[in-house]
């Protein structure tokens, strides 16, 4: 195999702009999906802590569905399946405003909410019940007890797995290329098929993916360090 | 609902085995073949990577650690494209989509499984290895006869979860045209054109039944193993281990 790499190809024409745009789309997807997953995941974890059997079963069903179906299939179901159930005017609107990005955010966000809620639940279960009772005895409402006492401690315990799953959200945004979202993997394929400089393009995007992933992992490690419970 | 049944009646066989016996095998059968082969081939490699990760020699530790971080940090889709483009360049032959997908899965899962195996080995009390060495076993014997049998036994549920991940990952074969379940379903969808929700709901349900059953099996095994360990291996602190074994009932509800 002969290797003659020519990275200057990547600076030609519109390619730099494409790549930058692809990276921006990728990061937007990650940020929005993470936000959706974090908010919904917290709600689901809290719902599962309530005494209602119905709530618990509904959350369990939600989690099992999203953890046992491939994310690509979930994306397809949202992108191809759900719009066909909606009225035509909504479909037209979704197509006009670029539905694929929106559906990718929804699919990835809803799926990862299941994972994040399980992380948080693991953290919540590790907090002794007395903590909750003590904060209620001090006069905090249920919500305040959760917000000020329980969740901060649970989040600290759940942090390592939550960081892993954040990396997973980031990596899985690449699946959005399958429904035509112009994120980094999609752009990489486009440039490759135009320029035929396979190694150069794929090397660049692989390095970008790896760099962002390592950055998230390092950020997580820094957070862990910062919020570690100090003992003497 | 009747739509779903008529789709299953007309295209169920295609989803199950692809064009077989009139053509190549595909559908769910191919998904299953890919994931079983993938995890089976990845397993021995993962043990080697795990041992290399814990090796005192830097020249063994470094490549293994690099591979693990590479796999953790780069999307599976990127790996598929690398293998897709580079295997033909390296070998000079065309490589089938099946082989591309299988090789990718083996590399990817080997790295993830290696972390599982490492956790299993590090989770054993260090006295096990020390005692084995003190009795006069070599490093190889210690690993083969004392450490690995125990560690791997404890890791069976985690490996089963990894198998579920592999099944889910085979769906990415769709992107390079491997005729597995997701690809077969998308073909059915493009023949029907008007029933995308029904087709993809069938697809999701199929994966769900398969993966959920395996996940439940993994949980049951985990419970049994925890019970056995509580009884046999560590009689000193059974209360703690039993508590974690039955912790499926939330501690605070």
């Amino acid at each position: 195999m002969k290797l003659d790499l020519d990275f200057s190809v990547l600076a030609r024409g519109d390619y730099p702009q494409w790549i930058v745009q692809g990276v921006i789309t990728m990061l937007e997807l990650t940020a929005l999906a993470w936000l959706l997953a974090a908010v919904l995941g917290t709600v689901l974890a809290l719902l599962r802590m309530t005494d209602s059997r119905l709530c618990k079963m509904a959350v369990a069903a939600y989690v099992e569905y999203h953890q046992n179906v491939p994310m690509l299939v979930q994306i397809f179901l949202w992108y191809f399946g759900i719009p066909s159930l909606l009225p035509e005017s909504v479909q037209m609107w979704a197509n006009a405003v670029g539905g694929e990005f929106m559906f990718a955010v929804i699919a990835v966000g809803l799926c990862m909410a299941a994972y994040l809620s399980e992380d948080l639940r693991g953290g919540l279960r590790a907090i002794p019940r007395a903590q909750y009772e003590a904060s209620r005895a001090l006069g905090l409402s249920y919500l305040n007890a959760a917000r000020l006492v329980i969740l901060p401690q649970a989040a600290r315990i759940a942090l390592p797995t939550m960081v892993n799953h954040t990396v997973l959200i980031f990596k899985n945004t690449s699946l959005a290329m399958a429904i035509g979202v112009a994120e980094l993997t999609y752009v990489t394929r486009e440039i490759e098929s135009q320029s035929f400089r396979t190694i150069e393009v794929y090397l660049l995007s692989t390095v970008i993916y790896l760099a962002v992933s390592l950055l998230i992992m390092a950020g997580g490690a820094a957070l862990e360090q910062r919020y570690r419970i100090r003992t003497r | 609902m009747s739509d779903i049944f008529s789709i299953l009646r007309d295209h169920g066989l295609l989803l199950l085995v692809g064009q077989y016996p009139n053509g190549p095998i595909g559908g769910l059968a191919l998904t299953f073949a890919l994931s079983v082969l993938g995890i089976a081939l990845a397993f021995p490699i993962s043990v080697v990577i795990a041992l290399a990760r814990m090796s005192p020699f830097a020249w063994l530790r470094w490549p293994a650690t690099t591979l693990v971080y590479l796999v953790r940090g780069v999307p599976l889709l990127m790996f598929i494209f690398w293998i897709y483009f580079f295997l033909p360049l390296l070998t000079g032959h065309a490589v089938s989509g099946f082989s591309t997908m299988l090789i990718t899965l083996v590399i990817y899962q080997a790295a993830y499984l290696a972390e599982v195996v490492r956790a299993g080995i590090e989770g054993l009390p260090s006295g096990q290895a020390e005692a084995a060495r003190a009795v006069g076993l070599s490093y190889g014997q210690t690993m083969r006869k004392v450490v690995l049998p125990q560690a791997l036994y404890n890791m069976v549920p985690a490996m089963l979860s990894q198998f579920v991940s592999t099944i889910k990952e085979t769906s990415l074969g769709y992107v390079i045209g491997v005729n597995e379940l997701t690809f077969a379903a998308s073909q059915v969808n493009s023949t029907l054109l008007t029933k995308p929700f029904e087709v993809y709901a069938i697809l999701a349900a199929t994966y769900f039944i398969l993966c959920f059953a395996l996940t439940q099996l993994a949980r049951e095994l985990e419970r049994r193993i925890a019970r056995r360990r509580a009884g046999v291996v560590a009689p000193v602190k059974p209360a703690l281990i039993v508590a974690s074994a039955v912790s499926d009932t939330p501690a605070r509800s």
Side-chain angles (χ1 to χ4, degrees), chain B residues 230 234-245:
Chain B
V236 191
K237 28 177 193 174
L240 220 159
I241 295 168
V242 170
S244 70

Side-chain angles (χ1 to χ4, degrees), chain A residues 10-24 187 191:
Chain A
L10 297 173
R12 210 176 289 160
D14 290 334
Y15 294 164
Q17 205 192 332
W18 287 11
I19 294 169
V20 170
Q21 204 55 51
V23 171
I24 291 173
V187 168
I191 298 180

Side-chain angles (χ1 to χ4, degrees), chain A residues 6 13 16 52-53 57 78-79 100 129 134-135 164 171 210:
Chain A
D6 178 14
S52 153
R53 271 187 72 107
M57 296 224 338
W78 273 101
Y79 182 66
E100 63 271 1
R129 192 172 165 78
S135 40
N164 277 342
K171 291 203 296 177
L210 192 60

Side-chain angles (χ1 to χ4, degrees), chain A residues 49 51 64 67-68 70 72 76-77 80 115 124-125 127 129 132 164 171 174-175 189 199 202 206 213, chain B residues 71-73 75 77 81-82 85-86 108 112 168 171-172 174 196 200 207 211 215 219 247 252-253:
Chain A
M49 275 172 57
D51 289 326
E64 293 299 340
Q67 290 193 341
N68 285 304
L72 187 64
F76 283 166
L77 197 57
F80 296 114
Y115 285 88
L124 287 171
R125 288 208 311 212
I127 315 265
R129 192 172 165 78
Y132 172 75
N164 277 342
K171 291 203 296 177
S174 64
L175 299 185
R189 295 246 300 172
I199 303 187
Y202 275 95
T206 302
S213 292
Chain B
V71 164
R72 278 179 63 187
L77 206 50
F81 288 133
W82 274 108
F85 287 117
F86 286 95
Y108 211 72
Y112 270 107
K168 293 194 286 174
S171 66
L172 298 196
Y174 162 86
Y200 286 112
Y207 276 114
C211 296
T215 310
R219 275 178 206 157
S247 60
R252 17 176 307 101
S253 58

Side-chain angles (χ1 to χ4, degrees), chain A residues 20 48 55 61 65 72 88 112 138 147 150 211 219:
Chain A
V20 170
R48 212 171 185 177
C55 273
Y65 167 75
L72 187 64
E88 206 159 312
M112 293 312 293
L138 283 172
R147 191 169 59 88
I150 308 296

Side-chain angles (χ1 to χ4, degrees), chain B:
Chain B
M1 234 8 218
S2 66
D3 281 338
I4 288 188
F5 286 121
S6 69
I7 292 171
L8 278 177
R9 197 181 56 232
D10 298 341
H11 304 280
L13 203 62
L14 183 78
L15 292 176
L16 217 54
V17 291
Q19 255 95 49
Y20 192 81
N22 304 317
I25 201 159
L28 185 60
L30 194 70
T31 291
F32 208 67
L34 262 178
S35 20
V36 171
L37 275 176
I39 204 90
L41 294 175
F43 172 66
I45 304 175
S46 73
V47 174
V48 175
I49 298 176
L51 293 179
R53 275 271 270 164
M54 294 183 300
S55 157
F57 307 114
W59 57 272
L60 274 175
R61 220 169 41 233
W62 266 95
T65 309
T66 310
L67 177 71
V68 168
Y69 271 90
L70 208 60
V71 164
R72 278 179 63 187
V74 178
L76 178 59
L77 206 50
M78 274 282 147
F79 270 88
I80 294 175
F81 288 133
W82 274 108
I83 303 285
Y84 186 68
F85 287 117
F86 286 95
L87 214 58
L89 269 183
L90 275 174
T91 58
H93 297 285
V95 179
S96 72
F98 180 85
S99 314
T100 306
M101 200 56 211
L102 184 60
I103 293 166
T104 316
L105 283 176
V106 168
I107 298 173
Y108 211 72
Q109 280 303 328
Y112 270 107
L113 264 183
E115 292 297 275
V116 171
V117 173
R118 190 169 69 107
I121 294 175
E122 282 173 354
L124 276 188
S126 57
Q128 292 281 342
E130 285 158 12
R133 295 307 297 267
V135 174
L137 297 186
S138 69
Y139 170 82
Q141 285 171 322
T142 304
M143 279 297 162
R144 214 172 52 241
K145 297 191 167 160
V146 179
V147 173
L148 280 178
Q150 299 185 67
L152 295 181
Y153 174 73
N154 292 339
M155 283 294 109
V156 167
M159 283 181 202
L160 214 52
S161 315
Q162 219 49 52
F163 179 54
V164 172
S165 304
T166 316
I167 294 176
K168 293 194 286 174
E169 283 161 1
T170 56
S171 66
L172 298 196
Y174 162 86
V175 178
I176 54 167
V178 180
N179 188 21
E180 43 68 60
L181 187 57
T182 306
F183 189 82
S186 74
Q187 276 183 318
V188 171
N189 181 43
S190 42
T191 3
L192 291 171
L193 276 176
T194 50
K195 302 272 174 244
F197 180 76
E198 287 80 356
V199 172
Y200 286 112
I202 292 173
L203 179 64
T206 314
Y207 276 114
F208 179 78
I209 293 168
L210 184 62
C211 296
F212 182 67
L214 287 167
T215 310
Q216 292 305 104
L217 181 64
R219 275 178 206 157
E220 178 55 34
L221 281 176
E222 197 165 0
R223 249 170 253 142
R224 282 196 196 177
I225 289 173
R227 232 177 286 144
R228 255 188 75 154
R229 285 174 71 189
V232 183
V233 183
V236 191
K237 28 177 193 174
L240 220 159
I241 295 168
V242 170
S244 70
V246 295
S247 60
D248 270 338
T249 45
R252 17 176 307 101
S253 58

